[in-house]
PDB file of all heavy atoms in Angstrom:
ATOM      1  N   LEU A 634      14.396  13.176   5.675  1.00  0.00           N
ATOM      2  CA  LEU A 634      13.833  12.834   7.008  1.00  0.00           C
ATOM      3  C   LEU A 634      14.088  14.056   7.968  1.00  0.00           C
ATOM      4  O   LEU A 634      13.266  14.252   8.855  1.00  0.00           O
ATOM      5  CB  LEU A 634      14.478  11.589   7.628  1.00  0.00           C
ATOM      6  CG  LEU A 634      14.161  10.281   6.934  1.00  0.00           C
ATOM      7  CD1 LEU A 634      14.868   9.151   7.426  1.00  0.00           C
ATOM      8  CD2 LEU A 634      12.586  10.009   6.960  1.00  0.00           C
ATOM      9  N   GLY A 638      10.706  15.777   9.211  1.00  0.00           N
ATOM     10  CA  GLY A 638      10.346  15.258  10.531  1.00  0.00           C
ATOM     11  C   GLY A 638      10.479  13.735  10.409  1.00  0.00           C
ATOM     12  O   GLY A 638      11.150  13.083   9.562  1.00  0.00           O
ATOM     13  N   PRO A 639       9.715  12.893  11.233  1.00  0.00           N
ATOM     14  CA  PRO A 639       9.814  11.437  11.329  1.00  0.00           C
ATOM     15  C   PRO A 639       9.474  10.895   9.910  1.00  0.00           C
ATOM     16  O   PRO A 639      10.127   9.865   9.541  1.00  0.00           O
ATOM     17  CB  PRO A 639       8.897  11.118  12.350  1.00  0.00           C
ATOM     18  CG  PRO A 639       8.558  12.328  13.180  1.00  0.00           C
ATOM     19  CD  PRO A 639       8.880  13.486  12.218  1.00  0.00           C
ATOM     20  N   THR A 640       8.449  11.464   9.177  1.00  0.00           N
ATOM     21  CA  THR A 640       8.187  10.975   7.899  1.00  0.00           C
ATOM     22  C   THR A 640       7.671  12.115   7.089  1.00  0.00           C
ATOM     23  O   THR A 640       7.463  13.236   7.632  1.00  0.00           O
ATOM     24  CB  THR A 640       7.044   9.891   7.964  1.00  0.00           C
ATOM     25  OG1 THR A 640       5.971  10.382   8.719  1.00  0.00           O
ATOM     26  CG2 THR A 640       7.449   8.650   8.614  1.00  0.00           C
ATOM     27  N   MET A 661       3.870   2.780  25.684  1.00  0.00           N
ATOM     28  CA  MET A 661       4.740   2.705  24.497  1.00  0.00           C
ATOM     29  C   MET A 661       4.953   1.174  24.138  1.00  0.00           C
ATOM     30  O   MET A 661       5.100   0.819  22.939  1.00  0.00           O
ATOM     31  CB  MET A 661       6.136   3.247  24.860  1.00  0.00           C
ATOM     32  CG  MET A 661       7.064   3.449  23.669  1.00  0.00           C
ATOM     33  SD  MET A 661       6.413   4.386  22.342  1.00  0.00           S
ATOM     34  CE  MET A 661       7.570   4.185  20.975  1.00  0.00           C
ATOM     35  N   TYR A 664       2.485   0.110  21.732  1.00  0.00           N
ATOM     36  CA  TYR A 664       2.661   0.893  20.573  1.00  0.00           C
ATOM     37  C   TYR A 664       3.789   0.302  19.641  1.00  0.00           C
ATOM     38  O   TYR A 664       3.831   0.620  18.431  1.00  0.00           O
ATOM     39  CB  TYR A 664       2.922   2.310  20.827  1.00  0.00           C
ATOM     40  CG  TYR A 664       2.633   3.255  19.690  1.00  0.00           C
ATOM     41  CD1 TYR A 664       1.298   3.563  19.191  1.00  0.00           C
ATOM     42  CD2 TYR A 664       3.672   3.941  18.982  1.00  0.00           C
ATOM     43  CE1 TYR A 664       1.066   4.421  18.265  1.00  0.00           C
ATOM     44  CE2 TYR A 664       3.363   4.831  17.952  1.00  0.00           C
ATOM     45  CZ  TYR A 664       2.131   4.995  17.609  1.00  0.00           C
ATOM     46  OH  TYR A 664       1.763   5.901  16.547  1.00  0.00           O
ATOM     47  N   GLY A 666       6.043  -2.160  17.247  1.00  0.00           N
ATOM     48  CA  GLY A 666       5.734  -3.008  16.112  1.00  0.00           C
ATOM     49  C   GLY A 666       5.590  -2.147  14.858  1.00  0.00           C
ATOM     50  O   GLY A 666       5.998  -0.887  14.772  1.00  0.00           O
ATOM     51  N   THR A 667       5.211  -2.707  13.813  1.00  0.00           N
ATOM     52  CA  THR A 667       5.172  -2.087  12.478  1.00  0.00           C
ATOM     53  C   THR A 667       3.714  -1.428  12.180  1.00  0.00           C
ATOM     54  O   THR A 667       2.630  -2.021  12.502  1.00  0.00           O
ATOM     55  CB  THR A 667       5.323  -3.117  11.305  1.00  0.00           C
ATOM     56  OG1 THR A 667       6.652  -3.701  11.542  1.00  0.00           O
ATOM     57  CG2 THR A 667       5.267  -2.482   9.926  1.00  0.00           C
ATOM     58  N   TRP A 668       3.771  -0.156  11.750  1.00  0.00           N
ATOM     59  CA  TRP A 668       2.608   0.616  11.326  1.00  0.00           C
ATOM     60  C   TRP A 668       2.778   0.992   9.937  1.00  0.00           C
ATOM     61  O   TRP A 668       3.862   1.272   9.391  1.00  0.00           O
ATOM     62  CB  TRP A 668       2.489   1.874  12.234  1.00  0.00           C
ATOM     63  CG  TRP A 668       2.204   1.651  13.583  1.00  0.00           C
ATOM     64  CD1 TRP A 668       3.009   1.536  14.659  1.00  0.00           C
ATOM     65  CD2 TRP A 668       0.825   1.487  14.243  1.00  0.00           C
ATOM     66  NE1 TRP A 668       2.364   1.360  15.805  1.00  0.00           N
ATOM     67  CE2 TRP A 668       1.012   1.342  15.566  1.00  0.00           C
ATOM     68  CE3 TRP A 668      -0.418   1.481  13.661  1.00  0.00           C
ATOM     69  CZ2 TRP A 668      -0.077   1.149  16.461  1.00  0.00           C
ATOM     70  CZ3 TRP A 668      -1.499   1.261  14.519  1.00  0.00           C
ATOM     71  CH2 TRP A 668      -1.267   1.172  15.892  1.00  0.00           C
ATOM     72  N   THR A 686       6.501   2.409   5.827  1.00  0.00           N
ATOM     73  CA  THR A 686       6.222   1.721   7.077  1.00  0.00           C
ATOM     74  C   THR A 686       7.020   2.330   8.151  1.00  0.00           C
ATOM     75  O   THR A 686       8.099   2.878   7.877  1.00  0.00           O
ATOM     76  CB  THR A 686       6.500   0.224   6.946  1.00  0.00           C
ATOM     77  OG1 THR A 686       7.861  -0.092   6.751  1.00  0.00           O
ATOM     78  CG2 THR A 686       5.628  -0.497   5.903  1.00  0.00           C
ATOM     79  N   GLN A 687       6.517   2.225   9.428  1.00  0.00           N
ATOM     80  CA  GLN A 687       7.163   2.657  10.602  1.00  0.00           C
ATOM     81  C   GLN A 687       7.271   1.603  11.543  1.00  0.00           C
ATOM     82  O   GLN A 687       6.199   1.148  12.017  1.00  0.00           O
ATOM     83  CB  GLN A 687       6.523   3.900  11.129  1.00  0.00           C
ATOM     84  CG  GLN A 687       6.373   5.140  10.183  1.00  0.00           C
ATOM     85  CD  GLN A 687       5.497   6.184  10.816  1.00  0.00           C
ATOM     86  OE1 GLN A 687       4.946   6.996  10.046  1.00  0.00           O
ATOM     87  NE2 GLN A 687       5.397   6.258  12.067  1.00  0.00           N
ATOM     88  N   THR A 688       8.495   1.132  12.004  1.00  0.00           N
ATOM     89  CA  THR A 688       8.527   0.059  12.949  1.00  0.00           C
ATOM     90  C   THR A 688       9.260   0.473  14.163  1.00  0.00           C
ATOM     91  O   THR A 688      10.492   0.915  14.065  1.00  0.00           O
ATOM     92  CB  THR A 688       9.330  -1.060  12.261  1.00  0.00           C
ATOM     93  OG1 THR A 688       8.669  -1.502  11.136  1.00  0.00           O
ATOM     94  CG2 THR A 688       9.481  -2.292  13.276  1.00  0.00           C
ATOM     95  N   TYR A 689       8.562   0.536  15.248  1.00  0.00           N
ATOM     96  CA  TYR A 689       9.135   0.837  16.641  1.00  0.00           C
ATOM     97  C   TYR A 689       9.574  -0.404  17.313  1.00  0.00           C
ATOM     98  O   TYR A 689       8.970  -1.413  17.332  1.00  0.00           O
ATOM     99  CB  TYR A 689       8.061   1.610  17.481  1.00  0.00           C
ATOM    100  CG  TYR A 689       7.604   2.946  16.928  1.00  0.00           C
ATOM    101  CD1 TYR A 689       6.519   3.071  16.023  1.00  0.00           C
ATOM    102  CD2 TYR A 689       8.278   4.038  17.302  1.00  0.00           C
ATOM    103  CE1 TYR A 689       6.153   4.292  15.552  1.00  0.00           C
ATOM    104  CE2 TYR A 689       7.851   5.341  16.864  1.00  0.00           C
ATOM    105  CZ  TYR A 689       6.790   5.454  15.996  1.00  0.00           C
ATOM    106  OH  TYR A 689       6.377   6.600  15.495  1.00  0.00           O
ATOM    107  N   TYR A 690      10.768  -0.362  17.963  1.00  0.00           N
ATOM    108  CA  TYR A 690      11.295  -1.460  18.692  1.00  0.00           C
ATOM    109  C   TYR A 690      12.214  -0.941  19.767  1.00  0.00           C
ATOM    110  O   TYR A 690      12.748   0.155  19.715  1.00  0.00           O
ATOM    111  CB  TYR A 690      11.945  -2.428  17.779  1.00  0.00           C
ATOM    112  CG  TYR A 690      13.072  -1.888  17.044  1.00  0.00           C
ATOM    113  CD1 TYR A 690      14.424  -2.082  17.572  1.00  0.00           C
ATOM    114  CD2 TYR A 690      13.015  -1.162  15.878  1.00  0.00           C
ATOM    115  CE1 TYR A 690      15.568  -1.526  16.911  1.00  0.00           C
ATOM    116  CE2 TYR A 690      14.141  -0.706  15.166  1.00  0.00           C
ATOM    117  CZ  TYR A 690      15.384  -0.856  15.717  1.00  0.00           C
ATOM    118  OH  TYR A 690      16.470  -0.399  14.981  1.00  0.00           O
ATOM    119  N   PRO A 691      12.316  -1.690  20.854  1.00  0.00           N
ATOM    120  CA  PRO A 691      13.233  -1.300  21.989  1.00  0.00           C
ATOM    121  C   PRO A 691      14.653  -1.196  21.489  1.00  0.00           C
ATOM    122  O   PRO A 691      15.250  -1.967  20.757  1.00  0.00           O
ATOM    123  CB  PRO A 691      12.994  -2.449  23.046  1.00  0.00           C
ATOM    124  CG  PRO A 691      11.811  -3.139  22.629  1.00  0.00           C
ATOM    125  CD  PRO A 691      11.718  -3.074  21.174  1.00  0.00           C
ATOM    126  N   ASP A 692      15.459  -0.188  22.037  1.00  0.00           N
ATOM    127  CA  ASP A 692      16.761   0.009  21.830  1.00  0.00           C
ATOM    128  C   ASP A 692      17.577  -1.140  22.478  1.00  0.00           C
ATOM    129  O   ASP A 692      17.527  -1.278  23.759  1.00  0.00           O
ATOM    130  CB  ASP A 692      17.252   1.408  22.353  1.00  0.00           C
ATOM    131  CG  ASP A 692      18.683   1.709  21.895  1.00  0.00           C
ATOM    132  OD1 ASP A 692      19.497   0.835  21.690  1.00  0.00           O
ATOM    133  OD2 ASP A 692      18.887   2.869  21.723  1.00  0.00           O
ATOM    134  N   ARG A 698      14.854   3.210  26.127  1.00  0.00           N
ATOM    135  CA  ARG A 698      14.827   3.925  24.936  1.00  0.00           C
ATOM    136  C   ARG A 698      14.427   3.076  23.719  1.00  0.00           C
ATOM    137  O   ARG A 698      14.337   1.835  23.887  1.00  0.00           O
ATOM    138  CB  ARG A 698      16.245   4.464  24.561  1.00  0.00           C
ATOM    139  CG  ARG A 698      16.778   5.506  25.631  1.00  0.00           C
ATOM    140  CD  ARG A 698      15.890   6.736  25.567  1.00  0.00           C
ATOM    141  NE  ARG A 698      16.221   7.791  26.604  1.00  0.00           N
ATOM    142  CZ  ARG A 698      17.126   8.719  26.375  1.00  0.00           C
ATOM    143  NH1 ARG A 698      17.824   8.831  25.167  1.00  0.00           N
ATOM    144  NH2 ARG A 698      17.492   9.532  27.344  1.00  0.00           N
ATOM    145  N   TYR A 699      14.065   3.721  22.686  1.00  0.00           N
ATOM    146  CA  TYR A 699      13.458   3.030  21.526  1.00  0.00           C
ATOM    147  C   TYR A 699      14.084   3.454  20.241  1.00  0.00           C
ATOM    148  O   TYR A 699      14.720   4.512  20.093  1.00  0.00           O
ATOM    149  CB  TYR A 699      11.964   3.280  21.436  1.00  0.00           C
ATOM    150  CG  TYR A 699      11.245   2.827  22.687  1.00  0.00           C
ATOM    151  CD1 TYR A 699      10.964   3.749  23.703  1.00  0.00           C
ATOM    152  CD2 TYR A 699      10.775   1.509  22.978  1.00  0.00           C
ATOM    153  CE1 TYR A 699      10.389   3.458  25.034  1.00  0.00           C
ATOM    154  CE2 TYR A 699      10.212   1.189  24.127  1.00  0.00           C
ATOM    155  CZ  TYR A 699      10.023   2.108  25.114  1.00  0.00           C
ATOM    156  OH  TYR A 699       9.348   1.798  26.294  1.00  0.00           O
ATOM    157  N   LYS A 700      13.870   2.644  19.192  1.00  0.00           N
ATOM    158  CA  LYS A 700      14.361   2.903  17.880  1.00  0.00           C
ATOM    159  C   LYS A 700      13.094   3.010  16.890  1.00  0.00           C
ATOM    160  O   LYS A 700      12.093   2.338  17.174  1.00  0.00           O
ATOM    161  CB  LYS A 700      15.263   1.799  17.439  1.00  0.00           C
ATOM    162  CG  LYS A 700      16.572   1.799  18.141  1.00  0.00           C
ATOM    163  CD  LYS A 700      17.535   2.865  17.633  1.00  0.00           C
ATOM    164  CE  LYS A 700      18.942   2.677  18.230  1.00  0.00           C
ATOM    165  NZ  LYS A 700      19.870   3.692  17.801  1.00  0.00           N
ATOM    166  N   LEU A 701      13.298   3.703  15.856  1.00  0.00           N
ATOM    167  CA  LEU A 701      12.224   3.751  14.732  1.00  0.00           C
ATOM    168  C   LEU A 701      12.927   3.565  13.457  1.00  0.00           C
ATOM    169  O   LEU A 701      13.906   4.236  13.042  1.00  0.00           O
ATOM    170  CB  LEU A 701      11.629   5.222  14.783  1.00  0.00           C
ATOM    171  CG  LEU A 701      10.578   5.384  13.556  1.00  0.00           C
ATOM    172  CD1 LEU A 701       9.497   4.389  13.560  1.00  0.00           C
ATOM    173  CD2 LEU A 701      10.008   6.798  13.643  1.00  0.00           C
ATOM    174  N   ARG A 702      12.397   2.476  12.775  1.00  0.00           N
ATOM    175  CA  ARG A 702      12.954   2.205  11.440  1.00  0.00           C
ATOM    176  C   ARG A 702      12.015   2.579  10.395  1.00  0.00           C
ATOM    177  O   ARG A 702      10.784   2.139  10.382  1.00  0.00           O
ATOM    178  CB  ARG A 702      13.268   0.676  11.339  1.00  0.00           C
ATOM    179  CG  ARG A 702      14.076   0.301  10.032  1.00  0.00           C
ATOM    180  CD  ARG A 702      14.313  -1.092   9.915  1.00  0.00           C
ATOM    181  NE  ARG A 702      13.150  -1.868   9.485  1.00  0.00           N
ATOM    182  CZ  ARG A 702      12.551  -2.746  10.110  1.00  0.00           C
ATOM    183  NH1 ARG A 702      13.073  -3.040  11.392  1.00  0.00           N
ATOM    184  NH2 ARG A 702      11.434  -3.299   9.765  1.00  0.00           N
ATOM    185  N   MET A 703      12.430   3.337   9.420  1.00  0.00           N
ATOM    186  CA  MET A 703      11.556   3.891   8.407  1.00  0.00           C
ATOM    187  C   MET A 703      11.970   3.062   7.143  1.00  0.00           C
ATOM    188  O   MET A 703      13.098   3.069   6.734  1.00  0.00           O
ATOM    189  CB  MET A 703      11.811   5.371   8.077  1.00  0.00           C
ATOM    190  CG  MET A 703      11.608   6.271   9.372  1.00  0.00           C
ATOM    191  SD  MET A 703       9.887   6.152   9.874  1.00  0.00           S
ATOM    192  CE  MET A 703       9.060   6.627   8.459  1.00  0.00           C
ATOM    193  N   ASP A 704      10.904   2.493   6.379  1.00  0.00           N
ATOM    194  CA  ASP A 704      11.111   1.750   5.146  1.00  0.00           C
ATOM    195  C   ASP A 704      10.206   2.334   4.080  1.00  0.00           C
ATOM    196  O   ASP A 704       8.983   2.679   4.427  1.00  0.00           O
ATOM    197  CB  ASP A 704      10.867   0.282   5.347  1.00  0.00           C
ATOM    198  CG  ASP A 704      11.849  -0.348   6.345  1.00  0.00           C
ATOM    199  OD1 ASP A 704      13.012  -0.294   6.119  1.00  0.00           O
ATOM    200  OD2 ASP A 704      11.291  -0.903   7.293  1.00  0.00           O
ATOM    201  N   THR A 715      16.004   2.491   3.667  1.00  0.00           N
ATOM    202  CA  THR A 715      15.701   2.331   5.115  1.00  0.00           C
ATOM    203  C   THR A 715      16.643   3.275   5.915  1.00  0.00           C
ATOM    204  O   THR A 715      17.744   3.500   5.559  1.00  0.00           O
ATOM    205  CB  THR A 715      16.123   0.909   5.485  1.00  0.00           C
ATOM    206  OG1 THR A 715      15.313  -0.077   4.803  1.00  0.00           O
ATOM    207  CG2 THR A 715      15.888   0.581   7.018  1.00  0.00           C
ATOM    208  N   ALA A 716      16.002   3.769   6.946  1.00  0.00           N
ATOM    209  CA  ALA A 716      16.732   4.773   7.848  1.00  0.00           C
ATOM    210  C   ALA A 716      16.244   4.402   9.301  1.00  0.00           C
ATOM    211  O   ALA A 716      15.103   4.169   9.479  1.00  0.00           O
ATOM    212  CB  ALA A 716      16.584   6.117   7.453  1.00  0.00           C
ATOM    213  N   GLU A 717      17.133   4.523  10.209  1.00  0.00           N
ATOM    214  CA  GLU A 717      16.834   4.366  11.691  1.00  0.00           C
ATOM    215  C   GLU A 717      17.022   5.605  12.422  1.00  0.00           C
ATOM    216  O   GLU A 717      17.901   6.415  12.104  1.00  0.00           O
ATOM    217  CB  GLU A 717      17.549   3.226  12.244  1.00  0.00           C
ATOM    218  CG  GLU A 717      17.222   1.830  11.693  1.00  0.00           C
ATOM    219  CD  GLU A 717      17.905   0.721  12.500  1.00  0.00           C
ATOM    220  OE1 GLU A 717      18.976   1.009  13.155  1.00  0.00           O
ATOM    221  OE2 GLU A 717      17.552  -0.425  12.328  1.00  0.00           O
ATOM    222  N   MET A 718      16.265   5.863  13.426  1.00  0.00           N
ATOM    223  CA  MET A 718      16.474   6.997  14.377  1.00  0.00           C
ATOM    224  C   MET A 718      16.110   6.593  15.751  1.00  0.00           C
ATOM    225  O   MET A 718      15.439   5.630  16.017  1.00  0.00           O
ATOM    226  CB  MET A 718      15.575   8.208  13.901  1.00  0.00           C
ATOM    227  CG  MET A 718      14.091   7.875  13.776  1.00  0.00           C
ATOM    228  SD  MET A 718      13.292   9.213  12.981  1.00  0.00           S
ATOM    229  CE  MET A 718      13.714   8.905  11.309  1.00  0.00           C
ATOM    230  N   ASP A 719      16.596   7.396  16.628  1.00  0.00           N
ATOM    231  CA  ASP A 719      16.340   7.265  18.128  1.00  0.00           C
ATOM    232  C   ASP A 719      15.081   7.861  18.461  1.00  0.00           C
ATOM    233  O   ASP A 719      14.634   8.929  17.939  1.00  0.00           O
ATOM    234  CB  ASP A 719      17.478   7.715  18.993  1.00  0.00           C
ATOM    235  CG  ASP A 719      18.885   7.187  18.666  1.00  0.00           C
ATOM    236  OD1 ASP A 719      18.894   5.947  18.417  1.00  0.00           O
ATOM    237  OD2 ASP A 719      19.910   7.888  18.562  1.00  0.00           O
ATOM    238  N   ILE A 720      14.265   7.220  19.427  1.00  0.00           N
ATOM    239  CA  ILE A 720      13.112   7.699  19.848  1.00  0.00           C
ATOM    240  C   ILE A 720      13.130   7.905  21.442  1.00  0.00           C
ATOM    241  O   ILE A 720      13.547   6.954  22.103  1.00  0.00           O
ATOM    242  CB  ILE A 720      11.938   6.817  19.500  1.00  0.00           C
ATOM    243  CG1 ILE A 720      11.786   6.663  18.012  1.00  0.00           C
ATOM    244  CG2 ILE A 720      10.648   7.322  20.156  1.00  0.00           C
ATOM    245  CD1 ILE A 720      11.459   7.978  17.264  1.00  0.00           C
ATOM    246  N   TYR A 721      12.800   9.086  21.843  1.00  0.00           N
ATOM    247  CA  TYR A 721      12.931   9.352  23.339  1.00  0.00           C
ATOM    248  C   TYR A 721      11.517   9.759  23.852  1.00  0.00           C
ATOM    249  O   TYR A 721      10.722  10.287  23.072  1.00  0.00           O
ATOM    250  CB  TYR A 721      13.881  10.487  23.651  1.00  0.00           C
ATOM    251  CG  TYR A 721      15.192  10.279  22.983  1.00  0.00           C
ATOM    252  CD1 TYR A 721      15.564  10.873  21.855  1.00  0.00           C
ATOM    253  CD2 TYR A 721      16.158   9.487  23.679  1.00  0.00           C
ATOM    254  CE1 TYR A 721      16.822  10.660  21.283  1.00  0.00           C
ATOM    255  CE2 TYR A 721      17.539   9.332  23.188  1.00  0.00           C
ATOM    256  CZ  TYR A 721      17.816   9.953  22.042  1.00  0.00           C
ATOM    257  OH  TYR A 721      19.090   9.760  21.499  1.00  0.00           O
ATOM    258  N   LEU A 731       6.736  12.161  21.476  1.00  0.00           N
ATOM    259  CA  LEU A 731       7.936  11.460  21.252  1.00  0.00           C
ATOM    260  C   LEU A 731       8.951  12.383  20.540  1.00  0.00           C
ATOM    261  O   LEU A 731       8.525  13.300  19.882  1.00  0.00           O
ATOM    262  CB  LEU A 731       7.688  10.222  20.295  1.00  0.00           C
ATOM    263  CG  LEU A 731       6.591   9.225  20.753  1.00  0.00           C
ATOM    264  CD1 LEU A 731       6.365   8.159  19.800  1.00  0.00           C
ATOM    265  CD2 LEU A 731       6.985   8.606  22.141  1.00  0.00           C
ATOM    266  N   THR A 732      10.235  12.183  20.810  1.00  0.00           N
ATOM    267  CA  THR A 732      11.321  12.962  20.165  1.00  0.00           C
ATOM    268  C   THR A 732      12.105  11.942  19.186  1.00  0.00           C
ATOM    269  O   THR A 732      12.636  10.935  19.698  1.00  0.00           O
ATOM    270  CB  THR A 732      12.182  13.566  21.258  1.00  0.00           C
ATOM    271  OG1 THR A 732      11.465  14.473  22.109  1.00  0.00           O
ATOM    272  CG2 THR A 732      13.265  14.394  20.545  1.00  0.00           C
ATOM    273  N   SER A 733      12.254  12.290  17.940  1.00  0.00           N
ATOM    274  CA  SER A 733      13.053  11.547  17.091  1.00  0.00           C
ATOM    275  C   SER A 733      14.346  12.281  16.914  1.00  0.00           C
ATOM    276  O   SER A 733      14.474  13.551  16.891  1.00  0.00           O
ATOM    277  CB  SER A 733      12.285  11.389  15.800  1.00  0.00           C
ATOM    278  OG  SER A 733      12.116  12.674  15.130  1.00  0.00           O
ATOM    279  N   GLN A 734      15.455  11.370  16.667  1.00  0.00           N
ATOM    280  CA  GLN A 734      16.741  12.035  16.527  1.00  0.00           C
ATOM    281  C   GLN A 734      17.575  11.074  15.654  1.00  0.00           C
ATOM    282  O   GLN A 734      17.623   9.936  15.885  1.00  0.00           O
ATOM    283  CB  GLN A 734      17.410  12.296  17.884  1.00  0.00           C
ATOM    284  CG  GLN A 734      18.720  12.970  17.807  1.00  0.00           C
ATOM    285  CD  GLN A 734      19.250  13.383  19.228  1.00  0.00           C
ATOM    286  OE1 GLN A 734      18.627  14.191  19.901  1.00  0.00           O
ATOM    287  NE2 GLN A 734      20.310  12.745  19.757  1.00  0.00           N
ATOM    288  N   LEU A 735      18.354  11.719  14.644  1.00  0.00           N
ATOM    289  CA  LEU A 735      19.097  10.859  13.761  1.00  0.00           C
ATOM    290  C   LEU A 735      20.572  10.828  14.328  1.00  0.00           C
ATOM    291  O   LEU A 735      21.181  11.853  14.512  1.00  0.00           O
ATOM    292  CB  LEU A 735      19.139  11.492  12.401  1.00  0.00           C
ATOM    293  CG  LEU A 735      17.838  11.312  11.514  1.00  0.00           C
ATOM    294  CD1 LEU A 735      17.861  12.292  10.390  1.00  0.00           C
ATOM    295  CD2 LEU A 735      17.637   9.854  11.118  1.00  0.00           C
ATOM    296  N   TYR A 745       7.053  15.036  18.026  1.00  0.00           N
ATOM    297  CA  TYR A 745       5.755  14.671  17.427  1.00  0.00           C
ATOM    298  C   TYR A 745       4.862  14.054  18.483  1.00  0.00           C
ATOM    299  O   TYR A 745       5.395  13.505  19.481  1.00  0.00           O
ATOM    300  CB  TYR A 745       5.802  13.977  16.046  1.00  0.00           C
ATOM    301  CG  TYR A 745       6.465  12.577  16.234  1.00  0.00           C
ATOM    302  CD1 TYR A 745       5.642  11.487  16.251  1.00  0.00           C
ATOM    303  CD2 TYR A 745       7.785  12.431  16.357  1.00  0.00           C
ATOM    304  CE1 TYR A 745       6.140  10.163  16.265  1.00  0.00           C
ATOM    305  CE2 TYR A 745       8.347  11.116  16.354  1.00  0.00           C
ATOM    306  CZ  TYR A 745       7.515  10.013  16.407  1.00  0.00           C
ATOM    307  OH  TYR A 745       8.032   8.802  16.458  1.00  0.00           O
ATOM    308  N   GLU A 758      -0.686  10.261  14.278  1.00  0.00           N
ATOM    309  CA  GLU A 758       0.531  11.001  14.708  1.00  0.00           C
ATOM    310  C   GLU A 758       0.522  12.411  14.128  1.00  0.00           C
ATOM    311  O   GLU A 758       0.066  12.590  12.962  1.00  0.00           O
ATOM    312  CB  GLU A 758       1.833  10.294  14.287  1.00  0.00           C
ATOM    313  CG  GLU A 758       2.108   8.914  15.030  1.00  0.00           C
ATOM    314  CD  GLU A 758       3.356   8.171  14.601  1.00  0.00           C
ATOM    315  OE1 GLU A 758       4.027   8.751  13.707  1.00  0.00           O
ATOM    316  OE2 GLU A 758       3.760   7.272  15.261  1.00  0.00           O
ATOM    317  N   LEU A 776      -2.095   5.933  10.517  1.00  0.00           N
ATOM    318  CA  LEU A 776      -1.386   4.651  10.545  1.00  0.00           C
ATOM    319  C   LEU A 776      -2.347   3.538  10.755  1.00  0.00           C
ATOM    320  O   LEU A 776      -3.364   3.702  11.468  1.00  0.00           O
ATOM    321  CB  LEU A 776      -0.272   4.632  11.530  1.00  0.00           C
ATOM    322  CG  LEU A 776       0.685   5.881  11.530  1.00  0.00           C
ATOM    323  CD1 LEU A 776       1.706   5.723  12.673  1.00  0.00           C
ATOM    324  CD2 LEU A 776       1.345   6.059  10.140  1.00  0.00           C
TER     325      LEU A 776
END
Side-chain angles (χ1 to χ4, degrees):
L634 293 175
T640 52
M661 190 64 187
Y664 199 70
T667 299
W668 293 93
T686 62
Q687 304 174 201
T688 302
Y689 293 89
Y690 60 96
D692 191 330
R698 294 295 177 92
Y699 303 92
K700 293 282 190 178
L701 172 60
R702 189 183 74 244
M703 305 295 305
D704 298 302
T715 300
E717 290 184 346
M718 59 188 71
D719 300 321
I720 299 295
Y721 307 96
L731 308 177
T732 301
S733 63
Q734 186 171 293
L735 285 168
Y745 63 102
E758 294 183 351
L776 312 176

